Amino acid sequence: MDNTDLAIGLIFLIETTTGILGNFSLLCHYIILFITEYEWRSTDFIHKHLIVANVLALLCKGVPQTMAAFGRKYFLSDLGCKLLSFLHRVGRGVSIGSTCLLTVFQTITISPMNPCWKELKVKAPKYVGFSIYLCWILFMLINYIKNFTEKGDLGYCVTLDHDTITISIYPVLIVFPEASFCVLTIWTSGCMVFILHRHKQWVQHIHSTNVSPRSSAETRATQSILILVSTFVSFYFLSSIFHVSVALIYNPSWWLVNLAAMISVCFPTV
C-alpha cells in the first residue's frame, strides 16, 4: 500500500468514524428522550429517520471504501456489491428527502397564524409519518430499478452488468427526484428567512428601535439556516456531479471513484 492509498484510507476512516459516532450519539439522545416519556414534536420523527438514513449511507459507502483504500479490495461478490450500492443510494436519497421534509415542516411551524397557514399548521403534523415512509418507499423503488443497470469498478467490488439504458435512466430516476427535493429545500429555507426577517421588523417596530444591542434570535436563526442550506446544497451539487460521472462513464478512474465516495460521505457526517 503506497502513501496515496494510506492518505485516502485515513480520510475515509476519519469521515466514516466521525459520522457514525455523531449520528449514533444523536440516535441515543432520542432513545433517552423516548424512555423518559418526552413529548415528541413532528420534527423529532423526521430527525430520527434522517439519522438512520445517514448511518445507512455511511456504513454502506464509508466502511467498504475505507477497507478498499487500506488494501482489502474486491471482497464482495456481484450480488453483495449491488446490495451495498442499493442500500447506500437509498440512504443518500432518504437523507436528502428527510432534510427537505424537515425544512418544509419547520417553515409551516414558524409561519404566521393567518387563514392561509392556519389549516396547514393543524394538518401538517398528521402527515409527517406518511411523508417519511413514502420517501423510503420512493427511493427503494427508484434504486431497485436502477440497480439492474449498475456497473463499474468501485474498489471494494466490481459490478458486472453494463447496459446503455443507464445513460437515459440515471438522470430520470436518480437526479430528478433528488434535484426536486434540493430545490424545494432551497425554496422553503428562503421562506423561513423571509418570515424571520418580517418578524424581526415587526418586533423592532413594536419596541420603536431600529438597532439591537446584540444579535437577535431571528438573526441567529437566519444565519444558521443559511449556513445549513449552503452546506447541504454545496455537498449535494458536488456529489451529484461525481455520481453522474461515475454512473455514466463505463470505466471511471480510481481517483474519480474515490472523490465521489468522499464527497458522498461528507453530508451525512456533517
Side-chain angles (χ1 to χ4, degrees):
M1 181 172 60
D2 58 25
N3 292 334
T4 304
D5 287 333
L6 179 61
I8 290 173
L10 287 173
I11 292 171
F12 276 124
L13 182 63
I14 293 169
E15 271 190 319
T16 305
T17 304
T18 304
I20 290 174
L21 289 176
N23 280 284
F24 266 121
S25 67
L26 289 173
L27 190 60
C28 291
H29 169 70
Y30 279 108
I31 291 172
I32 292 170
L33 290 178
F34 178 77
I35 293 172
T36 55
E37 298 182 353
Y38 165 76
E39 186 177 349
W40 290 93
R41 296 173 298 178
S42 299
T43 52
D44 291 332
F45 187 77
I46 301 175
H47 279 135
K48 287 193 298 179
H49 283 267
L50 177 60
I51 292 166
V52 172
N54 284 340
V55 171
L56 186 64
L58 287 163
L59 287 174
C60 295
K61 176 58 73 172
V63 173
Q65 210 74 49
T66 302
M67 294 173 67
F70 281 125
R72 187 80 166 86
K73 296 181 181 292
Y74 310 119
F75 57 90
L76 286 174
S77 64
D78 181 58
L79 179 62
C81 192
K82 286 187 174 183
L83 179 61
L84 268 191
S85 296
F86 169 77
L87 292 175
H88 166 252
R89 287 195 304 269
V90 170
R92 167 189 158 87
V94 174
S95 178
I96 293 170
S98 299
T99 303
C100 175
L101 289 173
L102 189 61
T103 59
V104 169
F105 283 104
Q106 284 176 332
T107 302
I108 294 171
T109 301
I110 69 169
S111 60
M113 285 296 293
N114 56 39
C116 181
W117 289 94
K118 188 175 181 180
E119 188 176 354
L120 192 58
K121 274 177 174 282
V122 175
K123 290 184 176 181
K126 300 176 183 178
Y127 295 100
V128 170
F130 172 78
S131 301
I132 283 289
Y133 291 127
L134 184 64
C135 191
W136 279 100
I137 293 169
L138 171 67
F139 282 102
M140 283 181 180
L141 289 175
I142 288 172
N143 288 290
Y144 177 76
I145 298 170
K146 170 67 178 63
N147 219 40
F148 287 108
T149 63
E150 187 67 69
K151 86 290 183 222
D153 185 348
L154 301 177
Y156 51 89
C157 64
V158 178
T159 49
L160 304 178
D161 293 341
H162 176 60
D163 194 337
T164 54
I165 199 173
T166 305
I167 297 174
S168 59
I169 281 182
Y170 195 88
V172 175
L173 288 183
I174 306 297
V175 177
F176 179 74
E178 291 183 356
S180 300
F181 278 123
C182 189
V183 170
L184 186 56
T185 300
I186 295 170
W187 181 74
T188 51
S189 298
C191 289
M192 278 195 283
V193 171
F194 177 74
I195 292 168
L196 290 169
H197 178 67
R198 289 288 299 272
H199 183 264
K200 181 182 177 181
Q201 288 182 322
W202 180 72
V203 171
Q204 286 179 341
H205 176 72
I206 289 177
H207 294 286
S208 300
T209 178
N210 293 320
V211 181
S212 177
R214 61 179 180 176
S215 178
S216 66
E218 292 87 351
T219 301
R220 293 193 298 272
T222 299
Q223 291 171 347
S224 298
I225 291 168
L226 292 175
I227 291 171
L228 289 171
V229 172
S230 299
T231 304
F232 171 75
V233 172
S234 299
F235 282 133
Y236 169 75
F237 181 71
L238 289 172
S239 180
S240 295
I241 291 174
F242 283 106
H243 269 84
V244 170
S245 300
V246 170
L248 300 185
I249 297 173
Y250 178 67
N251 189 22
S253 68
W254 177 82
W255 276 103
L256 183 60
V257 171
N258 279 294
L259 276 173
M262 282 181 194
I263 295 171
S264 69
V265 171
C266 281
F267 182 72
T269 299
V270 174

